[in-house]
């Protein structure tokens, strides 16, 4: 069974760019789904910028570190 972690990111508006309301679904198998909650459409990580991209990178690193720690503990 593959676990999924749902995280929501509310990006504040910056200048002419409107705010973004995004849901990130990080799966244990490495799959990622990004949903724009305003339109209901999915996004690619390449479409992120600014704070939403920073959030994505930080969460991905956190999940990789956690996964590595779990494997080290399991196989040590």
């Amino acid at each position: 069974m593959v676990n999924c972690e749902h995280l929501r990111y509310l990006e504040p508006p910056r200048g002419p760019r409107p705010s973004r309301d995004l849901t990130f679904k990080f799966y244990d198998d490495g799959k990622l789904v990004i949903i724009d909650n305003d339109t209901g459409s999915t996004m690619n990580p390449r479409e992120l910028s600014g704070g939403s991209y920073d959030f994505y990178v930080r969460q991905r690193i956190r999940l990789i570190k956690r996964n590595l720690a779990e494997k080290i503990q399991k196989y040590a």
Side-chain angles (χ1 to χ4, degrees):
M1 183 174 143
V2 178
N3 291 323
C4 177
E5 186 172 334
H6 295 252
L7 299 170
R8 187 171 181 188
Y9 179 77
L10 297 170
E11 185 176 62
R14 298 260 170 123
R17 189 175 72 188
S19 65
R20 283 182 161 172
D21 181 3
L22 305 173
T23 297
F24 292 79
K25 294 182 182 183
F26 292 94
Y27 293 87
D28 286 345
D29 63 359
K31 182 179 173 188
L32 169 69
V33 176
I34 305 170
I35 301 169
D36 183 333
N37 294 318
D38 294 329
T39 64
S41 62
T42 58
M43 299 177 67
N44 187 317
R46 294 178 193 198
E47 297 175 62
L48 300 174
S49 62
S52 58
Y53 183 74
D54 185 55
F55 177 81
Y56 158 71
V57 170
R58 289 177 187 270
Q59 294 305 316
R60 179 63 85 186
I61 291 170
R62 182 183 62 82
L63 292 171
I64 290 169
K65 284 182 178 180
R66 185 176 71 195
N67 189 340
L68 285 172
E70 289 171 357
K71 288 181 180 176
I72 289 169
Q73 187 176 28
K74 181 178 179 180
Y75 297 108

